[in-house]
Amino acid sequence: MTDTIFPLEPTPDEAQAAIADEFSFFGDWSERYQYLIDLGRKLPTFPEEWKSEEHRLHGCQSMVWIVPEGNADKLVFHAISDSAIVSGLIYLALRVYSGRSAAEILATAPDYVSAIGLAKHLSPTRSNGLAAMLGFIRDTAQAQQ
């Protein structure tokens, strides 16, 4: 397996609570977008050879590549985007779901999206891309069951 920094918290619920807590410190959306960009910079290195059509996530306006590995006991996701804000969205999704069992992934709704107000502040194309990424993670977990 390739290096990963995830999971940061013991459970997906704790990860979502930590995300909500962190975002509550910011008063407006310009600060939250900057924080998203900063989070995206923390993503682990993504090998250039993985930036191929095989690993490209369709449904996103930006270029997004995602590579899963593991099995039902532990699924790790590696992902990156050519967009700074989208990389931040990837970071949040991986923080909740990467390094978890397939059962944990399937049992965890992405509540952090509404908890921090993301749904209301993303463009329709970014919302579609986030939905595509979360769908890919769920579909990968489902395939491991």
Side-chain angles (χ1 to χ4, degrees):
M1 276 199 192
T2 311
D3 289 342
T4 183
I5 59 172
F6 303 107
L8 299 178
E9 290 83 12
T11 68
D13 288 342
E14 288 175 84
Q16 294 198 80
I19 290 167
D21 189 49
E22 289 165 17
F23 274 81
S24 72
F25 288 113
F26 302 106
D28 64 37
W29 267 91
S30 64
E31 293 174 340
R32 290 177 182 205
Y33 282 129
Q34 185 56 54
Y35 186 57
L36 268 178
I37 290 167
D38 293 344
L39 289 176
R41 291 184 182 128
K42 293 181 180 182
L43 284 171
T45 304
F46 193 85
E48 282 300 314
E49 62 268 19
W50 285 359
K51 291 182 181 178
S52 65
E53 191 60 29
E54 173 190 358
H55 300 300
R56 183 149 171 251
L57 182 65
H58 295 277
C60 301
Q61 180 180 8
S62 304
M63 297 290 284
V64 174
W65 297 272
I66 186 165
V67 177
E69 59 183 351
N71 55 39
D73 295 328
K74 183 178 180 181
L75 283 168
V76 174
F77 296 88
H78 308 277
I80 197 76
S81 174
D82 63 351
S83 160
I85 288 178
V86 175
S87 288
L89 296 174
I90 290 168
Y91 182 96
L92 294 178
L94 297 188
R95 185 170 175 181
V96 173
Y97 294 107
S98 189
R100 314 284 184 196
S101 70
E104 280 181 296
I105 291 168
L106 293 171
T108 304
D111 296 333
Y112 72 94
V113 175
S114 58
I116 64 175
L118 260 180
K120 295 182 288 193
H121 290 91
L122 290 179
S123 67
T125 54
R126 285 215 173 101
S127 291
N128 290 343
L130 179 58
M133 180 174 47
L134 294 171
F136 177 88
I137 290 169
R138 287 188 68 76
D139 291 349
T140 302
Q142 188 68 53
Q144 293 297 323
Q145 289 286 76

